[in-house]
């Protein structure tokens, strides 16, 4: 099912908050953006990341040196919209690769306890500091751990993935899908903000496509209930992001 987000926004309180910002990014979408490979901040990040002996050290070094061009420094606009309009499941949510924690804090509430994971100790420190200053602190948890080996005692009603799928090596994507399946309740929802949809080489971030998600999620019983262009993307990412919402009809999750 594909349809625009715009008709949901007109009567939303979110629109009043983001309208001026949204107007600017729509006009900027008409310009030609440079490819990710031409972004000097991304190139600098990749040089430092690949200079480290392990992936964990690479991410930690980049957070230490604040080489984090993917970090918005605020909650993701479309996620805030979904939260403010009551469009997210209630219960427990997981955000893997949570970074500085803005999305975790942004949607944490009395109806939704959010767990943020990151493999970087420096990222988790930043997230914990951010959360400690928020009245939502009791509704959020941050853990420094490896998503692929983590074994929680409770499953999740919602998992949100943004700049995590594109951060892992493409050969790990099948394991990513299996872990998502294992961590979600049988009626849980996976929301993927698919980025970057382009043709650059190398990574991270590695290029993605809708087909890349379908290839690993369909065998596990996930079907998209919605795939739309992210019309609330920040200007440099406009036209390179799609919002995907996935549900599983037959597979059963297990720890």
């Amino acid at each position: 099912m594909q349809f625009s987000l715009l008709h949901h926004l007109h009567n939303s309180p979110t629109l009043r908050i983001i309208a001026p910002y949204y107007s600017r990014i729509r006009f900027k979408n008409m310009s030609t953006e440079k490819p990710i490979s031409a972004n000097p901040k991304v190139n600098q990040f990749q040089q430092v990341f690949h200079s480290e002996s392990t992936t964990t050290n690479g991410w930690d070094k980049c957070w230490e040196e604040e080489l984090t061009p993917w970090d918005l420094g605020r909650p993701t606009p479309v996620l805030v919209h979904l939260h403010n309009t009551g469009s997210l499941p209630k219960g427990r949510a997981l955000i893997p690769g949570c970074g500085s924690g803005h999305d975790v804090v942004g949607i944490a509430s009395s109806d939704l306890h959010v767990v943020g994971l990151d493999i970087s100790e420096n990222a988790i420190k930043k997230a914990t500091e951010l959360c400690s200053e928020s009245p939502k602190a009791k509704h959020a948890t941050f853990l420094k751990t490896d998503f692929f080996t983590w074994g929680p005692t409770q499953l999740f009603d919602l998992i949100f993935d943004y700049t995590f799928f594109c951060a892992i090596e493409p050969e790990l994507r099948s394991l990513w899908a299996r872990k998502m399946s294992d961590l979600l309740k049988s009626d849980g929802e996976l929301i993927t903000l698919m980025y970057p949809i382009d043709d650059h080489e190398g990574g991270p971030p590695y290029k993605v496509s809708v087909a890349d998600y379908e290839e690993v999620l369909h065998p596990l019983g996930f079907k998209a209930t919605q795939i739309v262009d992210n019309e609330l993307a920040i200007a440099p990412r406009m036209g390179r992001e799609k919002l995907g919402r996935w549900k599983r009809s037959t597979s059963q999750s297990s720890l």
Side-chain angles (χ1 to χ4, degrees):
M1 180 186 301
Q2 298 194 15
F3 53 90
S4 172
L5 285 172
L6 288 178
H7 71 281
H8 293 293
L9 287 172
H10 292 306
N11 297 316
S12 165
T14 307
L15 182 60
R16 292 191 292 272
I17 298 172
I18 65 175
Y21 172 74
Y22 177 63
S23 296
R24 291 197 298 273
I25 63 177
R26 284 202 70 187
F27 283 112
K28 286 188 177 182
N29 184 37
M30 299 176 68
S31 64
T32 301
E33 301 290 350
K34 293 182 179 180
I36 285 179
S37 57
N39 186 324
K41 291 183 179 180
V42 172
N43 290 335
Q44 187 180 7
F45 150 71
Q46 290 176 343
Q47 289 173 6
V48 172
F49 177 81
H50 290 297
S51 70
E52 294 297 317
S53 58
T54 67
T55 297
T56 301
N57 290 346
W59 291 117
D60 217 31
K61 185 68 172 179
C62 290
W63 277 105
E64 179 184 356
E65 297 190 5
E66 298 185 350
L67 292 173
T68 55
W70 62 88
D71 185 35
L72 300 184
R74 60 187 182 278
T76 304
V78 71
L79 183 63
V80 172
H81 164 66
L82 294 174
H83 172 65
N84 288 347
T85 55
S87 302
L88 297 178
K90 294 178 174 59
R92 287 170 49 81
L94 172 67
I95 301 182
C98 67
S100 54
H102 287 282
D103 284 340
V104 172
V105 176
I107 65 171
S109 69
S110 58
D111 292 326
L112 188 65
H113 188 93
V114 188
V115 177
L117 299 185
D118 208 285
I119 202 169
S120 166
E121 183 175 354
N122 286 320
I124 291 298
K125 285 181 180 179
K126 290 179 181 292
T128 302
E129 290 172 3
L130 173 73
C131 190
S132 67
E133 301 171 356
S134 170
K136 299 180 176 182
K138 64 181 179 181
H139 305 303
T141 301
F142 291 99
L143 298 173
K144 189 270 180 187
T145 191
D146 186 341
F147 167 79
F148 292 101
T149 59
W150 182 53
T153 57
Q154 293 179 276
L155 299 178
F156 292 91
D157 302 279
L158 167 68
I159 302 180
F160 177 67
D161 183 304
Y162 184 32
T163 68
F164 182 63
F165 184 87
C166 69
I168 62 175
E169 292 83 354
E171 56 266 27
L172 294 177
R173 289 174 177 175
S174 292
L175 293 177
W176 168 92
R178 169 52 64 186
K179 192 66 176 181
M180 291 294 185
S181 178
D182 289 345
L183 294 175
L184 269 179
K185 293 181 180 179
S186 59
D187 59 346
E189 182 176 23
L190 170 64
I191 298 181
T192 58
L193 199 48
M194 297 177 266
Y195 170 82
I197 300 175
D198 59 24
D199 292 321
H200 74 274
E201 297 298 326
Y206 297 95
K207 65 183 179 181
V208 306
S209 67
V210 173
D212 290 333
Y213 288 82
E214 292 174 335
E215 181 180 359
V216 295
L217 288 173
H218 281 180
L220 298 175
F222 285 94
K223 301 297 180 184
T225 61
Q226 181 186 44
I227 296 178
V228 296
D229 290 335
N230 180 17
E231 294 163 326
L232 299 180
I234 64 169
R237 302 180 189 180
M238 185 67 74
R240 298 177 181 178
E241 290 186 350
K242 289 184 182 293
L243 176 71
R245 305 189 70 160
W246 310 81
K247 297 280 288 188
R248 183 179 38 194
S249 57
T250 56
S251 301
Q252 295 297 315
S253 54
S254 60
L255 287 175

